[in-house]
Amino acid sequence: ETGVTQTPRHLVMGMTNKKSLKCEQHLGHNAMYWYKQSAKKPLELMFVYSLEERVENNSVPSRFSPECPNSSHLFLHLHTLQPEDSALYLCASSQEGNQPQHFGDGTRLSIL
Amino acid sequence: QKEVEQDPGPLSVPEGAIVSLNCTYSNSAFQYFMWYRQYSRKGPELLMYTYSSGNKEDGRFTAQVDKSSKYISLFIRDSQPSDSATYLCAMSAISNTGKLIFGQGTTLQVKP
C-alpha cells in the first residue's frame, strides 16, 4: 500500500449510531489531519496531530472525537451525528510544519 | 470576507486551450501556496507547492504568486480532457501546525 488510505469509503449511519473512520499513511510523515468537505464549501480543517499530539482543534463539536495512536494511524470516532454532518471526510498527512499535505480519497458519510 | 476567494466556475474550454485559474486572499501572513487537483470521488492531489512570491513550472503547469497583489494563479498549457477536474488553491502562514486555508475550488471542463 502506498500513500494515504482511508476506510471505509462510504458510510451510512443513523443519528444514534457510533462509528469510526480510519486513516493510514505509508509516507513516513509525522503530522496527520482531518478535513471536512461539503458541497460548494471550501475544505474545513477539523483536527491536526503533530508527533502524535493534537495541536489544532478547529472548534469542532464534541460528537467528533479524533485519536492518533501512532504517527501512521488516525481515527475519527463519530457519535450522535446530525444530518448536517453528511459530507466527505478527508485525511491528510505531511511532515510537520508547512510541508505539503497528501490526501486520501476520503470517506463519504451520510447521516439518516 | 473569506480569507481565500476562488471563482467556483464551472469553466469550460476546448482541448488545447491555455487555462488560467486564480485565487485572491486577504491574509498578508500567507507564505506557502499550493494547488491541488481533485477528480470526482477522489481526494485532492498536490500539483504545485511554492513558497513566497515568484513562478514555478512543472510540465504543462505554471504557478504564479504575486504577494503584493495577494493573488495566485495556475496556468495549464495545451489543456487535455484528462485535466477536467476541480482545482483547489490552498495557502498557509508560517506555523508549526501546517494549517491550510482552502479556496472553494474551480471546476474545469476541457472539451475534446
Coordinates of all heavy atoms in Angstrom, one line a residue, chain A residues 7 28 40-41 48 92 95:
Chain A
T7 N -10.5 4.2 5.2 CA -11.6 3.2 5.2 C -12.7 3.6 6.3 O -12.3 4.2 7.3 CB -11.1 1.8 5.6 OG1 -10.4 1.8 6.8 CG2 -10.2 1.3 4.5
G28 N 5.7 7.9 5.8 CA 6.8 8.3 6.8 C 6.6 9.7 7.3 O 7.5 10.2 7.9
K40 N -20.0 22.8 -2.3 CA -20.0 24.2 -2.5 C -19.4 25.0 -1.4 O -19.6 26.2 -1.2 CB -21.4 24.8 -2.8 CG -22.1 24.2 -4.0 CD -23.3 24.9 -4.4 CE -24.1 24.2 -5.5 NZ -23.3 23.8 -6.6
K41 N -18.5 24.3 -0.5 CA -17.8 25.0 0.5 C -16.4 24.6 0.5 O -16.0 23.5 0.0 CB -18.4 24.6 1.9 CG -19.8 25.1 2.1 CD -20.4 24.6 3.5 CE -19.7 25.2 4.6 NZ -20.3 24.8 5.9
V48 N -5.6 18.6 13.8 CA -4.2 18.4 13.4 C -3.5 17.7 14.5 O -3.6 18.0 15.7 CB -3.5 19.7 13.1 CG1 -2.0 19.5 12.7 CG2 -4.2 20.6 12.1
A92 N -5.3 13.7 5.7 CA -4.1 14.1 5.0 C -2.9 13.8 6.0 O -3.1 13.7 7.2 CB -4.2 15.5 4.6
Q95 N 5.0 16.0 6.6 CA 6.0 16.3 7.6 C 5.5 17.5 8.4 O 4.8 18.3 7.9 CB 7.4 16.6 7.0 CG 8.0 15.3 6.3 CD 8.2 14.2 7.4 OE1 7.6 13.2 7.3 NE2 9.1 14.5 8.3

